Amino acid sequence: MTSGDHNLGDPAELAALYLTGALEDDERTTFEAHLIAGCADCERELRALTPVFEALARLAPPVTPSALSRVVTLAAANESLGELSEQQMQGVGELVAAVEESLPELLQAARDWEPYSIEGMYVRPLRFDRERQRVTALIRLAPGTRMPPHQHDQGEQCVVLQGELSIGHRCLRAGEYRYWKPGEPQPVQSSDDGCLLLVSSPLD
């Protein structure tokens, strides 16, 4: 494929964005498929820029990621539907530990969270999956918040990161999770003292 066949943008800019991780998930997938299809221009730019970015990475001083960025990273690594594997459960444990360590910082970020239609419920989206029409988000429930019964056409997963969540007659504590199958009715959910949740849910 020559530059005359190129319709994704400037090869040098695309290669730089790819190497820095600045492309969205769908953009990265498209670009990688473009490379596999045999774009000589983009391949050449990647080969030229890779040593530069590797050298810059070695020169850059280590930076301690924020609590929110760590939660985002761990959430992306452990996002799943259905029963969690042993490795994912270990990841959930690490996620809960990160939250406990940095809870004040996370709660301070609540001013940037979006109030939901349910009083006392606040949402902080972490990542969107446009292809599957899903969102992974942090949800904060203020003390005394109640979510009415509902259900989704797709499955939903909820991990308790801090506090306790009552689901019907069952109480989930930090590190525990619940998975609802597509169409499965969800009873009233509430938190007497407030809680922080990680939820993977359909966009409906």
Side-chain angles (χ1 to χ4, degrees):
M1 182 179 291
T2 65
S3 57
D5 301 317
H6 211 283
N7 59 5
L8 295 182
D10 179 68
E13 181 180 355
L14 287 168
L17 291 172
Y18 179 74
L19 289 171
T20 56
L23 295 177
E24 297 288 342
D25 289 347
D26 54 346
E27 293 173 332
R28 184 178 66 252
T29 300
T30 299
F31 182 65
E32 290 174 346
H34 179 67
L35 290 172
I36 293 172
C39 179
D41 291 339
C42 289
E43 185 65 40
R44 182 170 57 252
E45 293 295 342
L46 276 177
R47 286 199 302 269
L49 289 174
T50 296
V52 176
F53 279 92
E54 290 177 346
L56 289 174
R58 289 193 295 270
L59 291 173
V63 177
T64 302
S66 69
L68 188 58
S69 66
R70 280 184 287 161
V71 169
V72 171
T73 300
L74 287 167
N78 293 288
E79 180 181 334
S80 173
L81 290 178
E83 296 298 321
L84 297 179
S85 67
E86 183 177 342
Q87 183 177 5
Q88 287 170 323
M89 283 304 298
Q90 180 180 352
V92 168
E94 294 172 358
L95 186 59
V96 171
V99 168
E100 290 176 348
E101 180 183 333
S102 307
L103 185 59
E105 180 184 344
L106 285 170
L107 294 182
Q108 177 65 23
R111 64 175 181 269
D112 299 323
W113 293 16
E114 303 169 7
Y116 198 66
S117 56
I118 299 172
E119 185 177 356
M121 180 175 174
Y122 301 87
V123 181
R124 183 66 158 82
L126 300 179
R127 53 180 303 215
F128 291 95
D129 186 331
R130 296 184 182 88
E131 183 177 348
R132 295 192 300 159
Q133 286 295 291
R134 299 190 62 82
V135 60
T136 296
L138 287 173
I139 292 180
R140 183 171 65 90
L141 299 184
T145 301
R146 291 171 59 86
M147 292 186 286
H150 63 283
Q151 63 188 76
H152 298 287
D153 291 337
Q154 297 185 42
E156 181 178 69
Q157 186 185 76
C158 173
V159 179
V160 179
L161 300 179
Q162 185 267 337
E164 297 181 355
L165 176 69
S166 295
I167 304 175
H169 299 293
R170 180 183 177 188
C171 180
L172 294 185
R173 297 174 176 82
E176 297 182 323
Y177 75 100
R178 176 70 160 86
Y179 170 67
W180 288 274
K181 299 177 181 178
E184 180 180 356
Q186 299 188 30
V188 171
Q189 299 173 46
S190 63
S191 181
D192 291 339
D193 299 319
C195 63
L196 187 64
L197 313 172
L198 175 66
V199 175
S200 174
S201 175
L203 289 168
D204 59 14

